[in-house]
Amino acid sequence: MLRWAEVHLDRLLLNYRTVKELCRKQVYAVVKANAYGHGSREVSTFLEENTDVYGFAVATYEEGACLREAGVKRPILVMSSTLEEGRGFLKEYELTPVVYDFGELSLAKELKVPFHLKVDTGMGRLGFLEGEWEELLSRLKNLPVVGVMTHFSSADEDREFTLRQLEKFESFVSRLKREFPGLEVHAENSAAALYRFNNLLTHCRVGLALYGVPPEEGYPELSQVMEVKAKVLTVKELPPNYPVSYSKTYRTRERERVAVISFGYADGYPRELSNRGKVLINGKMCPVRGRVCMDMTVVSVEGLSVKKGDVATLYGEGITFKSVSGKLGKIPYELMCSISPRVERVYFGLQKCNAESSAGAV
Ligand SMILES: *Cc1c(COP(=O)(O)O)cnc(C)c1O
């Protein structure tokens, strides 16, 4: 294998416990987009077997069906699709839709499936706007509403705005609860879990933090679950003043030893890391030379003992998704989601966790 992503499930377990301790609510683990690149089947079945996770949240019906086929039994919330798409899946796979406009509401009524409502308290994306709440409440009689949610736009950067969103949400929920007292109520994502919101909320929806990426400063310690690695295809010594990679954006000064790594932008290594990125080989940071290519990247290994077949870490110890995304003006979500399917996922830490759980520690 020349390129792979290690997924450390023992770290996922630690992060889960940290999140649970922080939000003190039932947890919907957000596993959309293949669990942010970590493998939604493996992540979900692992959490179901080893934790008290309440359920899972996905974006599409296909993602939900895939989890059921992998054996997931707990609730699955489909957050951003349409009931038209869901028709063929809902009952067979027992998926719970999110209803966010009147068109969806009519279809939910027709299909007679339990659903969550979504209200827009300042995200400007999916959800009923405040001006529609009166009509919405009047149309819900005898419908199987089992949950209500909203989404924060700026939990990691604007406390005041987030509190205003929460206040709005509370005003809607308190009215809705008169008719549906046993509702699931949820709003928090990873960043908002830090607010330790009150008892009105019964559940949270957490993704990023589970994967070990802190959404903001001051977050409890997490451990990055994924490490991305690739092998050195060859090592060579380039002559002075020799160009490296497309468009000759780098030129050696002296003779320079370089290693060619079998990982490129098609694998999910951002091309913006051309002449900027660093990879770790045998414990030493090696700077990227020239443009990142589709399948390969050249790094300097001048003065280091590196040979063909050695392993380079592209993300992992000392090279977190958080730090690299910050450097590029991206967000860690983008980097995780772009690790391509060509990069095989290899799962670690299962045995460790199984030993622990049979000892009654989980
Ligand atoms: C993706 C998503 C989440 C999870 O957000 P994180 O920042 O990864 O914790 C929660 N709620 C909704 C509606 C989402 O789309």
Side-chain angles (χ1 to χ4, degrees), residues 30 32 36 79 118 125 151 189-190 205-208 333:
V30 181
K32 62 196 181 194
Y36 297 31
M79 300 191 295
K118 184 167 191 177
R125 199 176 63 180
H151 192 48
N189 54 4
S190 296
R205 304 183 304 268
V206 178
L208 193 69
Y333 304 79

Side-chain angles (χ1 to χ4, degrees), residues 84-106:
E84 199 50 55
E85 290 290 317
R87 266 177 195 281
F89 289 94
L90 278 167
K91 296 207 170 127
E92 184 179 352
Y93 292 99
E94 264 189 81
L95 305 174
T96 309
V98 171
V99 166
Y100 50 79
D101 70 17
F102 287 113
E104 294 295 308
L105 186 64
S106 311

Side-chain angles (χ1 to χ4, degrees), residues 94-343:
E94 264 189 81
L95 305 174
T96 309
V98 171
V99 166
Y100 50 79
D101 70 17
F102 287 113
E104 294 295 308
L105 186 64
S106 311
L107 210 46
K109 203 166 184 169
E110 196 181 298
L111 294 170
K112 298 194 173 64
V113 286
F115 60 88
H116 289 212
L117 278 174
K118 184 167 191 177
V119 290
D120 187 335
T121 55
M123 175 72 183
R125 199 176 63 180
L126 292 182
F128 293 91
L129 288 165
E130 199 168 7
E132 300 173 308
W133 292 355
E134 210 54 57
E135 181 180 352
L136 175 61
L137 287 162
S138 76
R139 287 216 215 162
L140 294 175
K141 271 230 162 344
N142 302 320
L143 292 185
V145 185
V146 293
V148 58
M149 66 190 277
T150 194
H151 192 48
F152 296 126
S153 74
S154 318
D156 57 345
E157 53 192 22
D158 190 342
R159 190 177 179 88
E160 221 172 288
F161 187 77
T162 306
L163 294 175
R164 252 182 288 148
Q165 278 197 266
L166 182 72
E167 215 172 280
K168 257 194 182 186
F169 185 50
E170 283 176 339
S171 75
F172 178 77
V173 172
S174 62
R175 294 184 63 189
L176 186 66
K177 275 194 131 179
R178 286 180 214 148
E179 193 152 352
F180 304 95
L183 282 177
E184 291 178 19
V185 184
H186 47 105
E188 296 146 289
N189 54 4
S190 296
L194 200 54
Y195 291 63
R196 299 171 187 275
F197 281 142
N198 59 52
N199 46 30
L200 177 87
L201 305 176
T202 60
H203 293 62
C204 61
R205 304 183 304 268
V206 178
L208 193 69
L210 290 181
Y211 306 113
V213 180
E216 57 186 308
E217 305 273 306
Y219 214 81
E221 196 173 317
L222 302 168
S223 176
Q224 186 171 299
V225 171
M226 191 191 285
E227 295 191 30
V228 180
K229 301 187 175 176
K231 284 195 177 159
V232 171
L233 292 173
T234 194
V235 176
K236 63 209 259 189
E237 188 150 319
L238 299 177
N241 195 31
Y242 200 87
V244 177
S245 191
Y246 289 116
S247 304
K248 313 187 290 293
T249 61
Y250 179 81
R251 238 171 222 287
T252 58
R253 286 190 202 156
E254 319 286 319
R255 291 179 69 83
E256 185 171 353
R257 254 164 68 84
V258 296
V260 182
I261 315 291
S262 61
F263 206 92
Y265 62 77
D267 300 301
Y269 198 62
R271 198 164 162 277
E272 295 92 323
L273 287 173
S274 300
N275 288 310
R276 294 183 72 190
K278 287 195 172 76
V279 309
L280 194 69
I281 309 178
N282 301 337
K284 295 281 196 296
M285 287 292 185
C286 308
V288 171
R289 298 303 194 210
R291 293 259 163 93
V292 172
C293 308
M294 189 183 287
D295 315 299
M296 289 174 276
T297 300
V298 181
V299 302
S300 175
V301 293
E302 181 55 39
L304 304 178
S305 66
V306 170
K307 58 183 187 313
K308 181 184 180 90
D310 282 354
V311 176
T313 300
L314 295 111
Y315 296 109
E317 204 188 336
I319 316 173
T320 60
F321 289 118
K322 186 82 179 171
S323 62
V324 176
S325 65
K327 180 155 133 180
L328 297 180
K330 289 181 181 258
I331 55 174
Y333 304 79
E334 280 181 276
L335 299 181
M336 288 191 275
C337 291
S338 52
I339 303 301
S340 89
R342 182 164 83 176
V343 181

